[in-house]
Amino acid sequence: MAKALHTLQSMFVLTLVFVMLAGLKQGFVEGQSWRLPLEEVNALREIAKELGKKDWNFSVNPCDKNDPNISNWNTPKTAARPLYNNSVICNCSYLGEICHIESIFLRGQDLDGKPPPSLAKLRYIKQIDCTRNYLSGTIPPEWASTKLEYISFTVNRLSGPIPDYLGNISTLRYLSLEHNMFNGNVPAGLGKLKNLQNLIILANHLTGRLPHELNNLINLQELRLSSNNFTGQLPNFQSWKQLEKLEIQASGFEGPIPSSISSLSNLTELLISNLNGGASKFPQLGNMSKLKSLMLRSCNISGEIPEFLSQLSKLQKLDLSFNNLAGDIHSDLSGLQSLEILYLTNNSLTGKIPPWIKDRDSKDLIDLSYNNFFLETQACRDSLNLFRSYGNNLNHGNCLKPCSEDRYSLHINCGGKEVTTGDRTYEEDEASVGPAKYNFQNGLWGTSNTGFFYGVNTTSNDDLATNVSILRMNDSKLYMTARLSPVTLTYYGRCLANGNYTVTLHFAEIIFRDNRSYQSLGRRMFDVYVQDELKRKDYDIEHEAKGVDKAVKLKIKAVVKDKTLQIRFVYAGKGTTAIPTRRTYGPLISAISIESDNPPKDSSPNRKRKIIIAVVVVALGLWLLLTSFCIAWRKGYLGSQISREEALKGLDLHTGIFTFRQIKAATDDFAPANKLGEGGFGSVYKGVLLDGTIIAVKQLSSKSNQGSREFVNEIGMISGLRHPNLVKLHGCCTERKQLLLVYEFMENNSLALALFGPEKSRLDLDWATRQKICIGIARGLVYLHEESILKIVHRDIKANNVLLDKDLNPKISDFGLAKLDEEENTHISTRVAGTIGYMAPEYALWGYLTDKADVYSFGVVALEIVAGKNNMKHRPNENYVCLLDWALNVQEKGNLLDLVDPRLGSDYNKEQATRMIKVALLCTNSSPALRPTMSSVLSMLKGDVRIQKLNVDPDMHGDDHLKFQGLREKYCQEKDRSSRSYSETFGDTSGDITYGSSSTSAHDLYTVNLQSQ
């Protein structure tokens, strides 16, 4: 018996040894003190594979803190790698010395996998932090079953819509998806996260309106929505009374700031900027006694600075820049002992600068630049920026000396040492410009800088960027350093001779990288102004240079009138703010070159000798040249011998008047290669000015009465109109019996070509882009009908006359048929002109014209945008005569979404699509009185107001069908008699009604006939 017992004991020991060895083979799951369950070890293996993490040591127990080899699981933090964190944290307080994984921190590791579905196998996991990696994909649906409390994917490349099933993680308290590539609407499911305290979704591509379900997040303490493309008004803040930090910068929202913001009495940080919409009053913030940082930048706020600001005793940073604040500064903020930074930049403040500002501690940073204060002598101090504080006057106090002589050039190596390249010497610019500083340099040029980087401590080198890689471009010494600004940076040159100048701005993206790293995910965008005129909007260095560490030069023409030239770079809140760190966003400029287009003549002895030699040569050949000169002059050859550079020299886009010689030079003498298309009354050419500006030149026939009439009409109409959704007319030329119109060039041609042009020319327009285009057209028409000084009826709204710029922003063109809508007249009776298929019936049949005719045309275009089909070409079967006819039938059957372009598949916003179709059908009502105004149309499209109910009478629909059939038959009959592609003249036997398209129509920009079928 004893022997048997001994044998059993021996077998038990051997079995135990084999089990332990097996455990070692699979990975060390049992420590001497703590044991991690095998299923969690296996889950960690799967997680590592899914993330692309290759340095976890599975022979070490991650929960054994005493193991000297545990650094693969818990790496000590070092000052050299402040953004790096590699930690797997266990909770070993469970019974039986069992441990469970509760937190995983993998920060700054450039992991290039995907968010791991296997994380859901860690049943006790509470925190996952993958900040600053290169992860792609989206958050797995498996996570919906977890009890996670903390999720952070800050700075990655996750994409697609934010998953709605995140709302099922009821335990979630912290969610950060900032600086990714998420798109679409914010899901309503997030409103179920009633324990959520931090929601950070800034710097994505999110669109639409915020769902009302977010009002359920009553425990929110931090909300950040910046740098997205939301639409509609700012949200109602009434439900978020626990908020402590609120950030909404450049998010696409419209103002004004709602009065409900006054209920957020717990706020310590309020940052709102770049609101769309009209002017608004200063919001009531008097009860925010805990507020430390207040930014209301570029919010269209008007009126005076409110006195309640003096009661916010904890205020440290106050930024009210880029608003319309006016009047004297009556608010005395001298009692705010904690106030360190005060920005009142770019307002319309007047009167004297208050003593409490002038006497403020020199450590405090105050910026009053770009205002209209009363001119008085001030001390020149670094921490008080008074650049252009007295209007456009730079020479205040004794800071700047009078000019002793005129200069004709200026070269600056921004942020770097003096550099010589070729025959140019770029002056050094190494001095720190500071967060609020007017730098005078040597009095001949200087800088004005405004702004600090939120969320980090200010250092003396914040405004300097230094390249750390090898640069292989020409003049690489100019790009080793750059000047950086978090808000706005101005360079000015003084004592310049008045006249035309060429400004060359040197850029290179030397901060972002192009490897498989989070450092390659940055997006930098800023605006460029020269002489206070916006020259480039949302300028992206990496995009323009086609990569990082590559040079790109931007040449801009400028006019100096008061011996001063100013170049300004402005950060408008767009792009990323945390890549690679939180102090590297904003404008970045490497070097600046300013040169006169007409420098003084050289008076040196060398020049005199050259003149003598030239005279001798001319005298010897004069008898040959004289005869040739006469012949060339009579035949007009001399003008063509002038170089393109000479012909374009001194030309800018301010005058509005071009010479024929300048246009010939820009178009390379109307070269066939530059011909963009041909219409009924002339051709369209592409032209390039010396500064690289691309123009479109419409050459109209001076022999056509209609062409001449529309030439005059178009200049008269569009020259006084300025709106982002109207094509810009640069100028015209009438020399040598020429009728030439010069427009801004539209890189993506027309909406018609993008939607239903030839297959190779069509653009893949996603739904968000179509929505943006439709709303943009509506905005342009609202401006024409209601907002501009001249109330205008366009008369020819169609997809051909909507042009698309490089960012696919729509611009209405072709004002050759436009008519003034005089307020005292209810309508205009006029000769009919337009395009069949887009004309309102009351106008086409009786010549009765109001702005409702444009509303009808817009409705047709909106249907085309949804369906991706041409109204006059689309016939599903013989029972339908056009797209609108089919839409009315589909609406009657209740299947509106059948109209949506099949190319979109299911990837579109059904609510927005339904809304757009309903609005389009309202606009195309047979009765003009029942059509909405364009401002109502815009509000309905944006979802700001409910759509009027659609009532379709079957009898009325039948009449519409007959109307469509009649117009189709008439169109087909007349088309057979016409050989022209773009301009068709249709008339009845009496000749009373003429249907024509403008000679300057946008469809002239390409040669494909979209109206021919």
Side-chain angles (χ1 to χ4, degrees):
M1 183 69 180
K3 184 176 181 181
L5 182 60
H6 178 72
T7 300
L8 287 172
Q9 290 175 338
S10 299
M11 292 177 64
F12 176 76
V13 172
L14 288 173
T15 302
L16 184 60
V17 170
F18 280 124
V19 169
M20 293 179 66
L21 289 174
L24 285 172
K25 184 176 181 181
Q26 296 239 356
F28 197 160
V29 299
E30 294 186 11
Q32 295 179 352
S33 302
W34 306 285
R35 184 167 63 86
L36 183 65
L38 182 59
E39 59 267 24
E40 294 197 31
V41 175
N42 290 334
L44 287 173
R45 291 180 183 276
E46 295 176 18
I47 290 170
K49 184 176 181 180
E50 291 160 350
L51 286 170
K53 185 164 179 60
K54 301 175 182 179
D55 59 351
W56 273 344
N57 185 356
F58 285 93
S59 66
V60 175
N61 182 354
C63 298
D64 187 357
K65 298 180 181 179
N66 298 321
D67 192 322
N69 298 314
I70 201 174
S71 60
N72 292 103
W73 295 96
N74 287 281
T75 305
K77 296 181 181 179
T78 63
R81 304 173 72 183
L83 302 179
Y84 183 87
N85 190 345
N86 182 57
S87 305
V88 175
I89 299 175
C90 307
N91 184 345
C92 298
S93 63
Y94 295 91
L95 294 176
E97 296 185 340
I98 295 177
C99 298
H100 293 292
I101 304 293
E102 288 193 348
S103 302
I104 297 177
F105 293 90
L106 302 173
R107 291 185 167 212
Q109 300 189 25
D110 283 332
L111 301 176
D112 60 358
K114 299 179 182 297
S118 298
L119 188 78
K121 296 180 180 180
L122 299 177
R123 293 180 298 151
Y124 295 85
I125 191 71
K126 294 182 180 180
Q127 300 184 78
I128 176 69
D129 188 340
C130 294
T131 296
R132 288 189 173 84
N133 283 288
Y134 199 68
L135 301 175
S136 60
T138 189
I139 298 175
E142 289 85 352
W143 290 21
S145 62
T146 66
K147 295 183 179 180
L148 280 164
E149 298 177 4
Y150 183 104
I151 297 176
S152 177
F153 282 97
T154 299
V155 185
N156 278 276
R157 53 192 184 112
L158 305 188
S159 59
I162 295 177
D164 189 74
Y165 47 76
L166 284 177
N168 296 329
I169 310 177
S170 59
T171 53
L172 197 60
R173 296 177 180 273
Y174 184 100
L175 177 62
S176 176
L177 304 177
E178 69 166 300
H179 292 87
N180 278 278
M181 302 176 186
F182 286 109
N183 56 40
N185 291 353
V186 175
L190 294 186
K192 296 187 292 185
L193 300 174
K194 295 186 178 181
N195 291 311
L196 196 66
Q197 297 177 356
N198 307 78
L199 178 58
I200 307 171
I201 53 177
L202 62 89
N204 281 280
H205 304 290
L206 301 173
T207 56
R209 301 171 65 89
L210 291 181
H212 296 295
E213 288 79 0
L214 292 188
N215 291 327
N216 297 328
L217 304 180
I218 59 176
N219 291 310
L220 267 186
Q221 298 178 10
E222 180 181 19
L223 177 62
R224 300 188 187 273
L225 305 173
S226 299
S227 194
N228 280 292
N229 300 303
F230 296 119
T231 56
Q233 301 288 324
L234 282 168
N236 190 315
F237 301 108
Q238 190 68 36
S239 301
W240 301 329
K241 295 182 179 179
Q242 302 303 315
L243 269 182
E244 297 177 2
K245 297 180 180 180
L246 176 61
E247 179 185 341
I248 309 178
Q249 295 194 64
S251 295
F253 288 116
E254 294 185 1
I257 299 172
S259 59
S260 59
I261 200 168
S262 62
S263 63
L264 306 183
S265 58
N266 289 313
L267 280 180
T268 62
E269 182 179 289
L270 175 59
L271 312 176
I272 301 178
S273 76
N274 300 93
L275 294 180
N276 299 320
S280 63
K281 298 297 182 181
F282 206 104
Q284 291 296 323
L285 310 177
N287 62 339
M288 297 184 183
S289 58
K290 301 178 182 179
L291 206 57
K292 295 181 179 179
S293 295
L294 173 59
M295 175 213 288
L296 300 176
R297 180 195 302 155
S298 192
C299 294
N300 299 310
I301 298 175
S302 59
E304 295 188 350
I305 299 174
E307 295 191 13
F308 66 71
L309 292 177
S310 62
Q311 305 302 316
L312 304 181
S313 58
K314 296 185 178 181
L315 203 58
Q316 299 174 358
K317 301 176 178 67
L318 177 59
D319 183 353
L320 304 178
S321 56
F322 293 88
N323 284 295
N324 298 311
L325 297 172
D328 294 2
I329 300 180
H330 297 298
S331 303
D332 186 351
L333 306 184
S334 59
L336 300 182
Q337 299 300 320
S338 299
L339 189 64
E340 302 171 351
I341 295 177
L342 173 62
Y343 290 158
L344 302 177
T345 312
N346 218 120
N347 281 283
S348 300
L349 299 171
T350 57
K352 293 185 177 182
I353 297 175
W356 65 265
I357 290 181
K358 293 185 287 186
D359 299 338
R360 193 84 184 181
D361 193 313
S362 60
K363 295 181 180 179
D364 298 334
L365 303 172
I366 302 176
D367 196 306
L368 303 180
S369 59
Y370 294 94
N371 277 286
N372 295 303
F373 290 110
F374 177 75
L375 181 61
E376 56 184 341
T377 302
Q378 301 289 345
C380 305
R381 81 183 219 202
D382 288 347
S383 58
L384 177 59
N385 188 350
L386 296 177
F387 179 75
R388 288 183 60 177
S389 296
Y390 311 100
N392 202 28
N393 192 318
L394 303 183
N395 196 22
H396 62 272
N398 298 316
C399 303
L400 297 175
K401 303 298 182 183
C403 298
S404 58
E405 60 179 358
D406 287 345
R407 299 190 305 149
Y408 294 85
S409 65
L410 173 63
H411 309 287
I412 306 169
N413 182 25
C414 304
K417 300 178 180 179
E418 181 180 293
V419 170
T420 299
T421 62
D423 58 351
R424 297 175 182 166
T425 297
Y426 289 77
E427 298 182 41
E428 64 90 12
D429 178 34
E430 293 185 290
S432 173
V433 296
K437 188 173 181 179
Y438 181 7
N439 190 351
F440 314 109
Q441 286 297 99
N442 54 13
L444 298 178
W445 66 271
T447 58
S448 170
N449 187 60
T450 306
F452 64 94
F453 295 102
Y454 273 91
V456 294
N457 294 326
T458 301
T459 68
S460 59
N461 293 322
D462 283 350
D463 50 62
L464 295 175
T466 303
N467 180 69
V468 294
S469 62
I470 299 176
L471 300 179
R472 294 181 172 83
M473 75 278 280
N474 294 331
D475 299 329
S476 60
K477 291 182 290 185
L478 288 178
Y479 303 95
M480 292 302 296
T481 59
R483 186 68 76 182
L484 184 70
S485 176
V487 179
T488 176
L489 172 65
T490 299
Y491 277 86
Y492 68 88
R494 295 180 65 243
C495 306
L496 295 171
N498 292 337
N500 295 330
Y501 283 76
T502 298
V503 177
T504 304
L505 305 177
H506 300 255
F507 299 103
E509 182 52 72
I510 61 175
I511 294 179
F512 301 150
R513 300 294 89 205
D514 61 357
N515 52 2
R516 291 180 62 82
S517 163
Y518 71 85
Q519 298 187 54
S520 68
L521 302 177
R523 303 190 302 272
R524 183 189 310 281
M525 288 183 283
F526 56 92
D527 300 339
V528 180
Y529 293 80
V530 175
Q531 298 294 62
D532 292 332
E533 182 178 347
L534 179 63
K535 295 297 185 179
R536 290 295 185 275
K537 179 73 174 174
D538 297 336
Y539 191 75
D540 185 333
I541 299 173
E542 184 176 357
H543 174 77
E544 297 293 335
K546 297 180 173 56
V548 304
D549 293 342
K550 295 181 179 180
V552 59
K553 299 177 183 179
L554 177 59
K555 290 184 178 293
I556 298 173
K557 291 293 183 179
V559 179
V560 173
K561 296 180 179 180
D562 57 359
K563 298 187 181 298
T564 303
L565 194 150
Q566 299 174 46
I567 304 163
R568 193 178 190 189
F569 309 96
V570 179
Y571 170 65
K574 299 180 182 180
T576 57
T577 58
I579 301 174
T581 67
R582 293 194 183 275
R583 60 171 83 246
T584 53
Y585 62 88
L588 186 73
I589 175 68
S590 297
I592 294 175
S593 176
I594 301 171
E595 292 190 330
S596 171
D597 293 346
N598 299 289
K601 301 295 184 179
D602 183 11
S603 59
S604 65
N606 288 332
R607 179 177 177 273
K608 294 180 180 179
R609 284 194 292 269
K610 292 177 182 178
I611 292 176
I612 294 173
I613 295 173
V615 169
V616 172
V617 171
V618 171
L620 292 175
L622 184 60
W623 63 276
L624 289 174
L625 293 177
L626 189 58
T627 303
S628 300
F629 176 83
C630 294
I631 296 174
W633 181 268
R634 292 188 63 184
K635 292 192 174 185
Y637 294 156
L638 283 179
S640 62
Q641 300 304 311
I642 298 175
S643 71
R644 176 175 181 273
E645 289 74 12
E646 286 295 324
L648 291 175
K649 194 170 185 179
L651 174 64
D652 54 49
L653 297 179
H654 299 285
T655 61
I657 302 299
F658 289 73
T659 66
F660 184 66
R661 188 181 75 179
Q662 290 167 338
I663 294 180
K664 282 185 63 178
T667 59
D668 196 13
D669 199 9
F670 300 97
N674 286 328
K675 191 172 185 179
L676 299 173
E678 187 166 0
F681 298 100
S683 304
V684 183
Y685 291 87
K686 178 181 179 182
V688 182
L689 304 183
L690 281 183
D691 65 353
T693 301
I694 303 177
I695 56 175
V697 179
K698 294 183 180 181
Q699 184 182 44
L700 309 182
S701 172
S702 59
K703 298 179 181 180
S704 165
N705 289 333
Q706 185 173 349
S708 300
R709 181 172 60 251
E710 294 179 7
F711 174 84
V712 175
N713 193 63
E714 181 139 7
I715 293 176
M717 289 292 181
I718 197 172
S719 61
L721 302 177
R722 289 292 183 271
H723 190 272
N725 295 114
L726 302 183
V727 70
K728 183 177 180 181
L729 177 67
H730 289 315
C732 65
C733 173
T734 57
E735 289 183 11
R736 303 187 188 183
K737 297 183 179 181
Q738 295 287 335
L739 301 179
L740 300 167
L741 292 173
V742 181
Y743 287 94
E744 60 177 324
F745 182 76
M746 295 289 103
E747 291 83 352
N748 283 303
N749 219 296
S750 74
L751 176 61
L753 188 65
L755 285 175
F756 31 77
E759 191 68 33
K760 64 179 181 179
S761 301
R762 293 181 190 175
L763 300 179
D764 185 14
L765 301 180
D766 60 18
W767 177 254
T769 302
R770 296 185 193 216
Q771 172 80 356
K772 178 179 76 170
I773 290 172
C774 190
I775 288 178
I777 301 170
R779 290 186 196 275
L781 286 174
V782 170
Y783 175 78
L784 290 177
H785 292 179
E786 305 173 27
E787 296 176 353
S788 69
I789 297 177
L790 300 174
K791 303 301 183 286
I792 293 173
V793 182
H794 186 279
R795 287 209 298 173
D796 203 15
I797 294 296
K798 56 184 177 181
N800 299 85
N801 287 340
V802 176
L803 305 184
L804 303 175
D805 67 11
K806 65 178 181 178
D807 298 317
L808 298 176
N809 295 308
K811 294 177 183 284
I812 298 171
S813 69
D814 185 3
F815 288 79
L817 301 182
K819 288 284 187 182
L820 288 178
D821 186 5
E822 300 175 1
E823 295 182 357
E824 61 270 18
N825 295 329
T826 58
H827 72 279
I828 306 170
S829 294
T830 181
R831 184 171 178 268
V832 176
T835 304
I836 193 167
Y838 297 87
M839 285 189 291
E842 75 278 3
Y843 175 53
L845 298 176
W846 300 293
Y848 183 95
L849 179 65
T850 68
D851 57 1
K852 294 298 182 69
D854 283 349
V855 176
Y856 183 95
S857 303
F858 172 81
V860 176
V861 173
L863 280 179
E864 291 180 329
I865 291 173
V866 175
K869 299 175 179 65
N870 182 285
N871 183 44
M872 294 302 292
K873 290 174 63 177
H874 182 67
R875 302 183 67 186
N877 56 53
E878 66 277 3
N879 295 321
Y880 304 104
V881 298
C882 63
L883 174 63
L884 179 55
D885 187 18
W886 179 44
L888 289 168
N889 279 271
V890 170
Q891 189 275 337
E892 186 178 2
K893 296 175 182 178
N895 301 321
L896 287 179
L897 293 181
D898 288 350
L899 289 166
V900 177
D901 192 340
R903 289 175 292 181
L904 291 173
S906 60
D907 189 16
Y908 67 93
N909 187 306
K910 293 181 175 58
E911 179 184 353
Q912 291 179 354
T914 303
R915 185 188 304 142
M916 191 180 297
I917 295 170
K918 288 182 177 180
V919 171
L921 293 177
L922 275 176
C923 293
T924 53
N925 196 300
S926 297
S927 171
L930 297 180
R931 294 175 208 146
T933 62
M934 281 309 305
S935 57
S936 297
V937 168
L938 180 59
S939 296
M940 288 187 284
L941 284 173
K942 292 161 55 181
D944 293 340
V945 298
R946 291 186 177 182
I947 299 175
Q948 305 166 21
K949 187 176 181 180
L950 284 168
N951 293 315
V952 178
D953 186 342
D955 294 333
M956 183 182 293
H957 172 68
D959 292 340
D960 280 346
H961 179 79
L962 293 176
K963 177 189 67 181
F964 294 138
Q965 185 65 44
L967 289 174
R968 164 65 69 172
E969 290 173 356
K970 187 170 188 176
Y971 173 68
C972 293
Q973 292 170 5
E974 295 296 336
K975 186 183 69 151
D976 292 339
R977 295 202 299 254
S978 176
S979 60
R980 287 175 293 183
S981 297
Y982 295 98
S983 288
E984 302 282 358
T985 301
F986 305 113
D988 58 15
T989 55
S990 65
D992 291 337
I993 302 177
T994 301
Y995 300 78
S997 67
S998 169
S999 62
T1000 58
S1001 176
H1003 54 53
D1004 293 345
L1005 290 180
Y1006 54 91
T1007 57
V1008 180
N1009 181 9
L1010 300 179
Q1011 304 288 346
S1012 62
Q1013 298 182 22

